[in-house]
Amino acid sequence: MKCKPIWMMPVLGVLLVASWGAVWADTSDVKGPGTITSFSPTPQTRFEVGGDPYGVHTGNSSDLTNPDPQTLRFEVHQGDHAWYDSSSVDRTEINSAVTIPAGTPINLSYQFMAEPNGPSGSLVNTSWFNVVGQFHSDDWATSSALGHSIATSPPFAFQLAGDHLQVVARYCPTGLDPSNGAGNVKNLTLWTDPNPIQTGVYHNIQVQANFSNDSNGYLAVSIDGNQVVNYHGPLGYGVGTDWEYGMYRSSAPETSAVDYRNVILTYGSAATAPIQPSTPTTPTTPRSE
């Protein structure tokens, strides 16, 4: 079965985001402990998380709240989408204005909670894609290199498959078009939780990655202290990435909410190399997008 692309931002959205001006990372950067400052829920404004600027991508200011200095809550209703989205998607999300160069070690940690929205504390999710955290590729740089505008699916994403958390990854060789529908992207489903996600409690997330689309790439993911992904191989599209989080889904009737707290992002010399367990992750067979 062909993997459906989960990033479908139109070219207009890519241009608007890029027009804010990308901030290239100091690859030895160290940030504070995820403190949120100058908070604003208004679309196309910015605030800071751990000292990094983030842009607000939502269609409804009331969907993004800041319960305390370390926490952001993202709520999504059917029909809520960013100014560049079509009506086929719902989105309440923020994206970092810092582009981390390809080949840079990245360390990301945070706590994540899915709020119950179904009977007996369950999670109802009828979307055919539902992204709850992603490193997105620098489409502006790739568009410039290829000479035409493109939109891509993220080279790494947490997503909800029904009520199960899932980790997916993608890569494309340098020089080939990684855009949705071009047929050059390899899709990897690296892990799907066999159990439904426990709602109403925070889960500790740890991600270590290097977005290098050759043998230097790697991705390690731990949840609640248990390593669920240990992938070594090509990752990404040969350009920089930025961290984006919240909820981005195909439009669905149910109201959903997720919470993130203590988001800490480091990169370069400040990020540690992944611990190598004895057994690496075996992903599903790569498939062309």
Side-chain angles (χ1 to χ4, degrees):
M1 182 176 176
K2 220 171 170 58
C3 178
K4 295 185 175 83
I6 64 175
W7 177 267
M8 298 191 295
M9 176 188 278
V11 173
L12 176 61
V14 175
L15 294 177
L16 281 170
V17 172
S19 70
W20 289 0
V23 179
W24 284 94
D26 173 353
T27 55
S28 63
D29 210 354
V30 182
K31 297 303 172 190
T35 301
I36 298 154
T37 55
S38 304
F39 174 74
S40 169
T42 305
Q44 303 187 65
T45 61
R46 283 183 176 178
F47 58 87
E48 292 192 348
V49 180
D52 283 338
Y54 282 76
V56 177
H57 296 251
T58 182
N60 189 340
S61 299
S62 64
D63 288 344
L64 178 61
T65 56
N66 179 209
D68 62 61
Q70 305 298 125
T71 305
L72 290 171
R73 181 181 186 272
F74 301 80
E75 186 169 297
V76 175
H77 306 81
Q78 189 167 41
D80 293 344
H81 50 78
W83 63 97
Y84 47 79
D85 285 325
S86 73
S87 60
S88 65
V89 299
D90 305 322
R91 187 197 304 265
T92 301
E93 201 176 37
I94 64 172
N95 82 297
S96 175
V98 175
T99 300
I100 303 172
T104 302
I106 297 171
N107 195 336
L108 171 68
S109 64
Y110 60 96
Q111 294 171 306
F112 170 79
M113 178 172 67
E115 297 185 13
N117 63 347
S120 303
S122 64
L123 177 70
V124 174
N125 171 39
T126 62
S127 297
W128 61 262
F129 74 82
N130 193 333
V131 180
V132 289
Q134 59 173 298
F135 276 98
H136 199 268
S137 190
D138 185 355
D139 287 352
W140 182 263
T142 304
S143 296
S144 297
L146 293 175
H148 59 88
S149 296
I150 67 164
T152 63
S153 294
F156 164 76
F158 282 108
Q159 58 188 36
L160 291 168
D163 58 356
H164 295 253
L165 193 61
Q166 190 173 70
V167 175
V168 298
R170 297 177 175 86
Y171 68 89
C172 181
T174 302
L176 295 182
D177 185 346
S179 62
N180 298 329
N184 298 317
V185 170
K186 303 299 182 182
N187 297 277
L188 307 172
T189 300
L190 295 176
W191 175 75
T192 301
D193 193 340
N195 302 308
I197 190 169
Q198 185 180 3
T199 60
V201 298
Y202 278 101
H203 299 276
N204 295 313
I205 309 293
Q206 178 78 38
V207 178
Q208 294 172 304
N210 187 323
F211 290 92
S212 182
N213 57 346
D214 56 25
S215 61
N216 294 314
Y218 61 76
L219 176 65
V221 179
S222 294
I223 299 178
D224 293 330
N226 300 309
Q227 188 170 59
V228 299
V229 170
N230 176 35
Y231 168 77
H232 293 261
L235 186 66
Y237 309 141
V239 296
T241 56
D242 68 272
W243 169 237
E244 309 181 2
Y245 62 103
M247 182 173 285
Y248 168 55
R249 68 182 190 183
S250 61
S251 191
E254 65 272 4
T255 297
S256 301
V258 292
D259 302 70
Y260 298 75
R261 71 182 184 191
N262 300 323
V263 175
I264 301 174
L265 176 65
T266 59
Y267 31 85
S269 60
T272 58
I275 298 171
Q276 310 236 358
S278 56
T279 305
T281 298
T282 302
T284 56
T285 303
R287 297 168 293 173
S288 295
E289 190 168 67

